[in-house]
Amino acid sequence: MTKWSGCAVRNWRPWVATAVVLVITVILLRFQGRLWTCACGALAPWARNVWSAHNSQHLFDPYSLTHILHGILLCGLLVWVAPRLSPDWRLFFALALESLWEVAENSERVIERYREATLALGYAGDSVLNSMGDLLSCAAGFLIARGLGLRWSIALLVVIEALLLFWIRDNLTLNVVMLIHPIDAIKNWQLAH
């Protein structure tokens, strides 16, 4: 802790660094042509239908749960890789990595890959608002994992994966599999919603 005006305050550096990363992420997403929010003009906190043009355009959608899983996984990875790093700096690195993913995910090459290989046939990329929701979801997952510990975090991960599998016929595992090595049988099952 550092002293500031006679009061003990937490180390502010990771929070400033996180804010800088978020601003840079927004700038890069806009530079890539991402809209601020849904082209429909509506500003909604939640888009529940993954098979609509509203998916990935509003603050949260069912895929926000996969970003909670990103946070859980990144928390575990960073505790393992950098056990002496403060929790605030681990959160910074988790959000920096998630920000890199958001920028990569919204590149034309990855968008085209999603269209080819996954159930996201008409996917046009995330809105900036949705990307910020994904980052919030990642931060929430990180903080949840920090509070739950390893065993309960693994249990939560399995529950969310199962929930998404039955709800939207997709989850983090299938998403990764389909991006790396598409399987026609899985794609056909996903599209038969």
Side-chain angles (χ1 to χ4, degrees):
M1 288 199 194
T2 59
K3 290 283 190 179
W4 186 38
S5 301
C7 299
V9 294
R10 295 182 71 162
N11 187 352
W12 52 270
R13 288 177 185 90
W15 300 104
V16 171
T18 299
V20 169
V21 164
L22 295 178
V23 168
I24 291 170
T25 302
V26 168
I27 291 168
L28 290 172
L29 290 169
R30 287 294 293 158
F31 182 74
Q32 289 177 316
R34 301 299 118 224
L35 299 175
W36 285 108
T37 188
C38 185
C40 69
L43 188 61
W46 172 257
R48 67 177 180 81
N49 188 352
V50 297
W51 296 282
S52 78
H54 295 281
N55 189 55
S56 298
Q57 301 306 302
H58 298 286
L59 185 59
F60 299 110
D61 56 39
Y63 286 102
S64 299
L65 293 172
T66 65
H67 292 277
I68 288 174
L69 298 180
H70 291 179
I72 291 170
L73 292 168
L74 288 169
C75 182
L77 176 68
L78 289 166
V79 165
W80 180 59
V81 170
R84 293 180 185 221
L85 198 60
S86 76
D88 292 345
W89 278 112
R90 279 193 217 123
L91 178 59
F92 161 76
F93 283 112
L95 289 175
L97 290 168
E98 189 72 358
S99 291
L100 283 172
W101 168 244
E102 284 300 315
V103 171
E105 176 187 37
N106 285 287
S107 68
E108 285 304 318
R109 183 176 180 170
V110 174
I111 289 170
E112 188 57 38
R113 181 68 179 161
Y114 269 113
R115 286 185 196 137
E116 290 172 2
T118 72
L119 69 89
L121 299 177
Y123 180 64
D126 297 356
S127 70
V128 173
L129 180 66
N130 182 260
S131 288
M132 293 301 106
D134 292 345
L135 290 167
L136 282 171
S137 297
C138 177
F142 181 96
L143 295 172
I144 289 167
R146 231 181 105 203
L148 289 178
L150 180 62
R151 285 189 180 129
W152 287 108
S153 293
I154 292 170
L156 180 61
L157 189 142
V158 170
V159 166
I160 290 174
E161 283 285 84
L163 171 75
L164 287 171
L165 186 64
F166 291 107
W167 179 22
I168 63 169
R169 293 182 179 228
D170 202 6
N171 59 25
L172 183 58
T173 303
L174 284 179
N175 207 293
V176 170
V177 166
M178 295 301 286
L179 276 174
I180 294 171
H181 183 72
I183 300 169
D184 287 337
I186 292 174
K187 187 173 182 178
N188 292 336
W189 172 75
Q190 289 177 318
L191 292 173
H193 62 92

